[in-house]
Amino acid sequence: MKIEEIEAQDLNPQRFIEEKITEISSIAGNGLAVNALSGGVDSSAVTILGHRALGERLKTYFIDHGLMREDEPQRIVPLFKELGVPVELVDSRAEFFNALKGMTDPEEKREAITQAFYKDVFSRLVKESGAGYLLQGTNYTDIEETVAGVKRQHNILEQLGIDTQKQYGYKLIEPLIQLRKPAVREIAKTLELPEEIYNRPPFPGPALAARIIGEVTQERVETVRKATQIVEQALSDTGAFQYLAILHEDKVTGVRDGKRDYGLQIEVRCWDSEDAKTGSPTRVGYDILEKLAERITTEVPGVVSVTYNVTKKPPSTIEAV
Ligand code: XMP
């Protein structure tokens, strides 16, 4: 890999920020740029860097692809407005669900999401706004896994030999590409983002689709969304690196009110990790897990089985897809 990592202990956040602001301004010149904010630490840091560099010449969008967690747009858009960053909400739900229709293969689903983002939605936003650049928060771990062929991270293009100017009509600016998560958090903190942003557990670009085994339909997203909300409420106090709910494709036989109930399976994962490169399952207390299973099977329609994954990464990965 040609890109050189800057490790957290070697990072001077203030200097890095100043350098990146200068770099973004000089690349964009007098041109316009767009960026997509998801509310994760990477895209949030990039949004602030971009605004400091370009001011009103950067237009920030929040893409609602329908794969979000509960209330995400309602939470993130006003938070940035308070920080002085106007964000336009774009309803792209139909585009993403159409792109994913009938697909079950993990890498095909990832590719469909990448194309929906870059070829459809971003190309259109770039064209409409007259921008020449897309600013995005790709980090070092994203490229590493994609280039190694572990899984295609949704935001990796140039490292796979894709000429974004030719294929999509815009160039990429990726200020965080040399950093892993702990270093990105330092940058976000130094940029004075609130703690709820700079300390947020990671969340994948393909969002809940990375946690659905089999076809991604609105109904199945709704199931995993409800389970995710419960898992996040129950496990946030563990201080774990990341915690998630996965919806399985296979059904299992359950029993409810004395009758057979052939229902859904949710798998819970909770990870201890520094940077997502490796991880091990958090030793969550049994009482917490038991309550979690009780809540998911009573509050999420159709679920009759909840399991806790005790595998390390590797050989597991953090997400299921
Ligand atoms: P895996 O599942 O590969 O995840 O062990 C490593 C870290 O990356 C996140 N992840 C993604 N992030 N786009 C992203 O921006 C993606 O396509 C993607 N896939 C996984 C995952 O949540 C974990 O923190």
Side-chain angles (χ1 to χ4, degrees):
M1 236 192 292
K2 274 190 238 112
I3 296 150
E4 215 172 289
E5 180 187 357
I6 303 173
E7 290 185 30
Q9 77 258 21
D10 300 327
L11 179 73
N12 176 333
Q14 205 59 53
R15 204 171 66 210
F16 180 91
I17 289 168
E18 283 159 22
E19 281 170 12
K20 290 299 157 184
I21 289 174
T22 309
E23 195 180 301
I24 297 166
S25 310
S26 78
I27 296 173
N30 291 324
L32 306 177
V34 300
N35 85 306
L37 170 72
S38 69
V41 61
D42 305 338
S43 72
S44 296
V46 159
T47 300
I48 302 296
L49 276 177
H51 274 271
R52 291 212 186 152
L54 305 176
E56 287 182 355
R57 286 186 293 123
L58 175 67
K59 195 146 171 43
T60 298
Y61 297 96
F62 186 103
I63 314 295
D64 182 359
H65 42 40
L67 311 167
M68 298 277 158
R69 285 172 291 184
E70 194 72 32
D71 291 336
E72 278 293 281
Q74 293 75 11
R75 202 174 142 199
I76 300 302
V77 175
L79 191 151
F80 275 79
K81 197 171 170 203
E82 246 171 61
L83 296 172
V85 177
V87 181
E88 192 179 317
L89 184 61
V90 180
D91 182 357
S92 303
R93 287 174 294 183
E95 255 157 321
F96 278 82
F97 281 112
N98 281 337
L100 287 162
K101 209 174 162 74
M103 274 182 194
T104 55
D105 178 79
E107 288 294 293
E108 265 179 35
K109 288 192 290 185
R110 283 181 164 270
E111 176 65 18
I113 287 169
T114 296
Q115 294 305 329
F117 266 122
Y118 292 91
K119 193 159 157 262
D120 303 337
V121 178
F122 294 153
S123 288
R124 190 176 62 242
L125 295 177
V126 159
K127 231 178 253 156
E128 281 170 7
S129 62
Y133 296 91
L134 174 75
L135 197 63
Q136 69 168 7
T138 325
N139 68 40
Y140 196 79
T141 312
D142 295 339
I143 41 176
E144 205 172 43
E145 293 217 331
T146 303
V147 172
V150 176
K151 62 175 74 163
R152 162 80 187 264
Q153 306 269 313
H154 80 289
N155 50 1
I156 301 301
L157 303 157
E158 287 175 349
Q159 289 75 24
L160 294 175
I162 295 168
D163 181 339
T164 58
Q165 180 68 56
K166 233 193 214 153
Q167 294 204 17
Y168 307 135
Y170 50 84
K171 288 202 181 82
L172 292 181
I173 305 179
E174 300 176 301
L176 307 178
I177 203 147
Q178 291 172 279
L179 310 182
R180 290 188 197 272
K181 216 54 145 194
V184 178
R185 291 196 197 286
E186 274 304 306
I187 298 300
K189 193 174 171 185
T190 313
L191 286 168
E192 293 177 350
L193 278 157
E195 185 174 0
E196 62 169 303
I197 296 287
Y198 73 72
N199 261 344
R200 242 186 150 185
F203 189 69
L208 298 176
R211 299 169 181 182
I212 294 178
I213 303 173
E215 192 180 356
V216 179
T217 62
Q218 296 213 35
E219 193 190 1
R220 303 193 78 222
V221 170
E222 200 43 51
T223 300
V224 89
R225 182 181 284 134
K226 286 203 170 85
T228 301
Q229 195 176 23
I230 297 169
V231 166
E232 291 190 351
Q233 285 165 3
L235 300 182
S236 67
D237 287 345
T238 59
F241 177 81
Q242 205 169 344
Y243 27 84
L244 45 133
I246 292 158
L247 174 61
H248 277 246
E249 194 168 20
D250 291 341
K251 288 183 158 190
V252 288
T253 302
V255 54
R256 232 185 256 280
D257 305 323
K259 285 205 194 93
R260 182 179 199 270
D261 186 359
Y262 192 53
L264 305 170
Q265 301 189 69
I266 290 286
E267 173 190 330
V268 176
R269 296 183 183 183
C270 183
W271 293 101
D272 289 338
S273 175
E274 282 296 315
D275 53 18
K277 200 178 168 190
T278 59
S280 43
T282 308
R283 293 185 172 232
V284 179
Y286 206 86
D287 287 350
I288 296 174
L289 291 177
E290 216 169 50
K291 274 195 209 119
L292 190 55
E294 176 74 28
R295 277 196 67 188
I296 293 173
T297 49
T298 49
E299 295 175 33
V300 187
V303 178
V304 297
S305 168
V306 176
T307 55
Y308 185 64
N309 192 313
V310 291
T311 320
K312 288 187 176 174
K313 173 182 177 176
S316 177
T317 58
I318 296 212
E319 308 288 345
V321 167

